[in-house]
Amino acid sequence: MTVSQAPDAGGPLLVGTRGSALALAQSGQVAAALAATAGRGHELVRIRTEGDVNLGPLASIGGTGVFVTAVRDALAAGSVDVVVHSLKDLPTAPAPGLTLGAVPTREDPRDAVCARNGWTLATLPRGASVGTGSPRRAAQLLRHRPDLQIHAIRGNVDTRLGHVGDGRLDAVVLAAAGLARLGRSAAVTDLLDPEVMLPAPAQGALAVEARTDAVTGGSPSWYATALATVDCGDTRAAAVAERSLLAALEAGCTAPVGAYATVQPAPGSDTPELVLTGTAIALDGSREFRGTVRGPMDRAAALGRDLAARLLDDGAAVVLAPPPDSGPAGRP
């Protein structure tokens, strides 16, 4: 196939995506918005990734990048015009030849408990079984409820909810954003405030990647305009700060690190600034290193690095290197 620097001016916008129900839902929303701005049709191109094929623990099959490498390869090869990812799945290191063309407005970043009998995190019975594939979630669950029995699970949203529906588990914890995009918010029995459970860096945000040469090498005006139209400056700045923290801690998407940045007025001023809170937590919930920084939005990346340095100075490195054979809660 011949690689073109810019999308075909006459054809539909080709949008690369994973083939899961959630990926198709969120990619479809972005594709429709891009196509509407560009005044053309769109087509979703499904791409299988290592994370879709291998259902082993993420840390053991490659962790960061297992959901995005194949999709990025298709973009780099010119098979698609843009690709859409969950931003929290993207490695923090830049990909040669690719650029983050847009970060749409963030969905609800919180984590959600989906439990039998309407239980919340506080009302789950002692010793209740809770499923999650995330060490970050497992660690924070155990921080608040050390009596819970954490079970490592993988699979799509319906598969995970099915563990509760058939009685194998008392609850699962999922991203509120994914449930909303799939129309499954009714399954939520407790939305966890970031004070209780900090989300994964960039959770709830999407990433629209494009080839750098397509953006900077004479792309048609409709293409750049479409990307700019779906981009949200506040969401992008928050995601940059959160992901900068993750990168500076040298931790991947499977590490027990949480981060959440919001745009708030500066004290005594109407000027917006970022307030970033982050945590690094032991897998069994026994130790937590947590802090908050604030500053100008144009220092988003620096704020993440500043907070990472503070957490490391406090000793956070001891919780960022779990045993290689540990489960999500530091248990065999």
Side-chain angles (χ1 to χ4, degrees):
M1 176 176 211
T2 301
V3 179
S4 60
Q5 286 196 333
D8 184 350
L13 187 72
L14 301 180
V15 180
T17 177
R18 293 171 57 207
S20 70
L22 176 56
L24 291 171
Q26 60 196 26
S27 296
Q29 293 170 5
V30 173
L34 288 170
T37 299
R40 64 190 57 236
H42 67 273
E43 179 182 333
L44 296 182
V45 179
R46 303 186 190 195
I47 302 163
R48 297 193 77 184
T49 71
E50 176 66 17
D52 298 314
V53 176
N54 191 330
L55 295 182
L58 289 181
S60 69
I61 66 173
T64 302
V66 297
F67 291 117
V68 304
T69 300
V71 182
R72 279 178 154 178
D73 288 347
L75 176 61
S79 302
V80 294
D81 301 319
V82 295
V83 294
V84 180
H85 316 277
S86 292
L87 185 48
K88 70 181 180 65
D89 291 336
L90 276 189
T92 53
L98 303 183
T99 190
L100 188 56
V103 181
T105 301
R106 192 178 206 168
E107 214 4 304
D108 190 335
R110 292 176 292 180
D111 290 293
V113 174
C114 302
R116 296 193 295 116
N117 302 323
W119 287 326
T120 66
L121 178 59
T123 62
L124 278 166
R126 183 171 182 80
S129 57
V130 182
T132 176
S134 162
R136 172 192 60 82
R137 288 174 180 147
Q140 292 185 92
L141 285 169
L142 291 172
R143 184 73 177 169
H144 294 283
R145 290 287 307 270
D147 61 289
L148 296 176
Q149 297 299 310
I150 307 298
H151 296 263
I153 59 172
R154 287 281 312 280
N156 61 34
V157 169
D158 285 334
T159 296
R160 298 187 191 204
L161 290 175
H163 293 321
V164 177
D166 63 18
R168 281 178 287 175
L169 294 172
D170 294 311
V172 294
V173 181
L174 301 168
L179 291 164
R181 289 176 179 135
L182 286 172
R184 301 302 302 274
S185 295
V188 176
T189 58
D190 191 15
L191 281 170
L192 301 177
D193 189 274
E195 288 295 320
V196 175
M197 182 175 287
L198 276 176
Q203 182 164 301
L206 300 177
V208 184
E209 279 194 309
R211 290 187 302 282
T212 303
D213 60 10
V215 175
T216 63
S219 66
S221 59
W222 65 262
Y223 185 66
T225 299
L227 290 171
T229 299
V230 302
D231 189 62
C232 172
D234 286 1
T235 297
R236 183 185 281 265
V240 166
E242 294 164 19
R243 285 166 52 79
S244 176
L245 167 70
L246 189 67
L249 290 175
E250 298 184 351
C253 67
T254 61
V257 171
Y260 183 44
T262 57
V263 178
Q264 301 179 18
S269 169
D270 291 332
T271 303
E273 66 175 9
L274 280 175
V275 179
L276 171 66
T277 298
T279 184
I281 186 168
L283 289 171
D284 62 2
S286 60
R287 297 187 69 183
E288 181 180 21
F289 299 86
R290 191 181 184 106
T292 299
V293 295
R294 62 191 305 152
M297 293 179 64
D298 61 5
R299 293 192 69 251
L303 289 174
R305 293 191 294 269
D306 291 347
L307 181 53
R310 181 183 301 182
L311 295 178
L312 291 171
D313 285 345
D314 290 343
V318 300
V319 301
L320 293 174
D325 58 348
S326 292
R331 298 171 176 169

